[in-house]
Amino acid sequence: MYTKREFIRAIKENEGIIYKVARLYTNSTEDQKDVYQDIVYQLWKSYPSFKATSKISTWMYRVALNTAISNLKKEKRKGTRVSIDNFLLNKIDQVDTAMEERITLLYAHIKKLSIVEKGIILLHLEGKNYDEIATITGFTVTNIGTRLARIKNKLKSQIKK
């Protein structure tokens, strides 16, 4: 049985995973916070069943992606909402660097991908190898290679426009 202290340590050590997944599957800061909390809650609920047959980060990615995707599907059923984050960001007197702009542009194009493609490219950008991505997503290694090639081509063509 795992302790509360071990769970908190695991969350702190891997919270970047949660933030990245929440950011990728939401359109506003408030939604990101909600999805982040929902992911942590789902991790807490399923933590006692974590068998440590894989790395904790692999398990966390799987739970985070599944939670974010479920949340996205629920939101789509509710209808669309307009985010005012971009409006507010324009009002803030803040200097963006070239790298921040490139990352924002990349995330904007990634958000246009399908639900599955978003998860695969996120894991790839996190430095996960094909075996790890296959373990997290449940696809075969060959399928991951094919999908990643298609996703990269899709992103290249979108960014060139």
Side-chain angles (χ1 to χ4, degrees):
M1 187 70 178
Y2 297 100
T3 66
K4 181 178 176 182
R5 181 174 291 162
E6 291 171 325
F7 175 77
I8 292 169
R9 189 185 83 247
I11 293 295
K12 285 182 181 179
E13 289 174 359
N14 296 284
E15 73 180 339
I17 292 169
I18 303 168
Y19 280 120
K20 289 171 188 161
V21 170
R23 178 178 179 192
L24 187 62
Y25 285 93
T26 59
N27 292 319
S28 72
T29 305
E30 288 304 313
D31 288 343
Q32 286 175 20
K33 290 176 185 175
D34 291 344
V35 170
Y36 179 93
Q37 289 178 349
D38 198 22
I39 291 170
V40 172
Y41 174 69
Q42 293 303 324
L43 287 166
W44 175 250
K45 276 181 37 181
S46 59
Y47 191 62
S49 64
F50 175 62
K51 304 275 189 275
T53 55
S54 62
K55 291 192 262 179
I56 194 150
S57 61
T58 300
W59 171 76
M60 288 179 82
Y61 268 118
R62 183 176 288 233
V63 173
L65 286 169
N66 287 333
T67 303
I69 290 168
S70 293
N71 191 312
L72 185 64
K73 288 177 180 177
K74 286 179 203 169
E75 289 299 315
K76 282 186 177 181
R77 280 185 249 139
K78 289 181 183 176
T80 58
R81 294 186 293 171
V82 177
S83 170
I84 62 169
D85 282 355
N86 289 335
F87 175 77
L88 292 175
L89 288 176
N90 291 334
K91 295 290 184 188
I92 297 173
D93 190 44
Q94 184 177 12
V95 179
D96 287 334
T97 66
M99 183 57 92
E100 288 172 343
E101 289 174 5
R102 290 174 68 193
I103 290 171
T104 301
L105 177 66
L106 179 61
Y107 266 93
H109 286 290
I110 290 173
K111 285 185 179 206
K112 294 177 185 176
L113 298 172
S114 75
I115 291 171
V116 173
E117 290 171 333
K118 286 178 191 177
I120 291 172
I121 196 67
L122 172 70
L123 295 169
H124 176 69
L125 292 172
E126 285 293 301
K128 301 295 181 191
N129 64 39
Y130 288 15
D131 289 327
E132 291 172 311
I133 296 171
T135 300
I136 292 167
T137 61
F139 294 115
T140 65
V141 174
T142 305
N143 192 277
I144 292 299
T146 303
R147 286 176 183 257
L148 267 173
R150 289 179 184 157
I151 293 166
K152 287 177 185 178
N153 287 335
K154 190 184 284 188
L155 287 172
K156 283 178 191 174
S157 69
Q158 285 179 357
I159 292 172
K160 286 181 182 177
K161 290 181 181 178

